[in-house]
Amino acid sequence: MDESQLIARVRAGDSAAERALYDAHVDRVYRLAFRLAGDDALAQDFTQETFIRAFDRLGSFRGDAAFSTWLHTITTTVVLNGLRKVKRFRQREADIDDAHDIGVAQRHAEPDLKVRLKQAIENLPEGYRTVFLMHDVEGYTHEEIGVALGVETGTSKAQLSRARAKLRVALADFAGEWVQ
Amino acid sequence: MMQDQEDPKFEQWLQDAARTTYHAPRTTPRDEMWNKIVAARRNKRVIELRPWLRWAVAAAAVLVLGIGIGRWSTTRTPGPRVANEIDSLASVAYQIAATQYLSRTEAFLTSFRADANRSTNTARLARQARDLLTTTQLMLDSPAADNPRLRSLLEDLELVLMQISLLNPVQDGHDRDLITQGMNQSNVLPKLRSAIPAGPVPVRTEGAL
């Protein structure tokens, strides 16, 4: 059964088809949510919200684009909006802590690549970070990213280029590893 | 520009490093998430069977909170003087529903903050928070959220309730402290209390929301 038939069955109220459609796409949705959120509970929450919205709005899916593209538009909307809310909440918590606990000085004292890479990616502007993670880490095309984020393909490419440039500067201490 | 020059070796190294070290996902918990999706959709359908409720809550929020918020609002717009008997009856019903929601939320958050010895079961707390979160999100999606102060309060409540609903039973002590600190920092409870109209809580509407 192809995907359009599956979607038609879901629209007709077939719960087995719902599960089949979910199974076909959940891995990619969850992976993207996890990459962006970095937290399993949040990633699960965002994934669930994505599918709840998708099933509710399936009537508005006209099939002009691939179902996966439409689904990833919902995913990025849910995740980015959710992360903004969480960030706002965590910022309040951070404001309570002493400033030296979250100081930037630790970045320079930390020689571990994993930690430095994490800091560098999280210091990227939201748009750059999203495009970098979708393209370089999760393998989305610029066309898919453009549709999901509602930007031109050229914008996606430009943001990726700038993201890489910023990361290259931030990770200059590790240049020996990639020059080899 | 130097910054925009491509460097295939760096890009390959960066991709490999990021894929293996940055937020590397575990195996997708398919069944766990699916069960929650099914439960949430079932619950949503129950709410959607009563569409009047959504707008009742929204209208109640505007009517009731417009008065309640006056205590911490610097500007107050006089309401329309045109009100017929039907509107009056409806507003009473809306007032009861909205007051019930706010009172339940206030009681829940107060008991959460006061539960210093962690005697309340985490799963129970999370379940209660999810119930209230659903109503909060309905109100955020309604015209009630057009009021900036009410929207701000609802967003604060949404954040707190979301955090509580995500509490991890294994390490919830630290998380609870953080949530409580956040509540104190943002003055959620005082704002919430000042938005609740004075008078007894309409207990007879228990479960209406």
Side-chain angles (χ1 to χ4, degrees), chain A residues 79-158:
Chain A
V79 174
L80 295 178
N81 285 342
L83 286 178
R84 285 182 198 125
K85 289 177 181 175
V86 172
K87 185 178 177 183
R88 192 175 142 220
F89 184 83
R90 287 179 178 163
Q91 184 59 47
R92 286 180 185 157
E93 293 167 352
D95 289 344
I96 297 167
D97 297 336
D98 292 335
H100 63 263
D101 287 339
I102 53 173
V104 178
Q106 291 177 356
R107 288 173 57 196
H108 303 294
E110 175 54 67
D112 182 67
L113 169 63
K114 185 176 177 179
V115 175
R116 289 282 298 279
L117 180 63
K118 185 176 191 304
Q119 288 170 339
I121 293 172
E122 287 173 3
N123 283 337
L124 290 172
E126 182 186 275
Y128 293 10
R129 177 175 176 269
T130 305
V131 171
F132 169 72
L133 291 175
M134 290 184 78
H135 186 277
D136 276 9
V137 180
E138 284 301 313
Y140 288 75
T141 65
H142 284 297
E143 287 73 22
E144 287 176 314
I145 296 169
V147 174
L149 301 181
V151 299
E152 296 293 328
T153 303
T155 303
S156 173
K157 289 178 180 174

Side-chain angles (χ1 to χ4, degrees), chain B residues 104-150:
Chain B
R104 280 178 59 202
T105 307
E106 193 261 335
F108 172 72
L109 293 181
T110 301
S111 65
F112 172 83
R113 194 171 66 168
D115 188 21
N117 57 3
R118 318 291 184 224
S119 59
T120 310
N121 178 276
T122 301
R124 185 178 162 206
L125 275 175
R127 190 172 59 248
Q128 290 173 328
R130 276 195 294 275
D131 289 343
L132 290 168
L133 183 60
T134 302
T135 308
T136 306
Q137 287 169 337
L138 285 175
M139 292 186 72
L140 272 167
D141 284 337
S142 77
D146 290 345
N147 180 313
R149 282 186 172 272
L150 176 55

Side-chain angles (χ1 to χ4, degrees), chain A residues 26-39:
Chain A
V26 67
D27 284 342
R28 211 161 176 225
V29 170
Y30 174 74
R31 285 183 65 86
L32 179 59
F34 197 101
R35 290 284 191 192
L36 289 167
D39 177 282

Side-chain angles (χ1 to χ4, degrees), chain A residues 18-19 22-23 27 34-35 38 40 44 56 85 88-89 92 122 129 136 165 168 177, chain B residues 3 7 11 13 15 19 21-23 26 28 30-31 33-34 41 44 156 158-159 163 181:
Chain A
E18 282 184 350
R19 177 63 199 246
Y22 166 85
D23 281 338
D27 284 342
F34 197 101
R35 290 284 191 192
D40 185 51
Q44 288 194 39
D56 284 352
K85 289 177 181 175
R88 192 175 142 220
F89 184 83
R92 286 180 185 157
E122 287 173 3
R129 177 175 176 269
D136 276 9
R168 189 175 176 180
E177 295 193 18
Chain B
Q3 271 195 338
D7 181 344
E11 288 164 17
W13 174 85
Q15 285 177 14
R19 281 175 186 159
T21 67
Y22 185 76
H23 295 174
R26 66 182 181 106
T28 309
R30 288 183 174 217
D31 291 337
M33 289 193 294
W34 177 252
R41 294 185 72 215
K44 199 161 185 264
D156 287 341
E158 184 189 31
L159 283 170
Q163 291 291 315
Q181 285 175 13

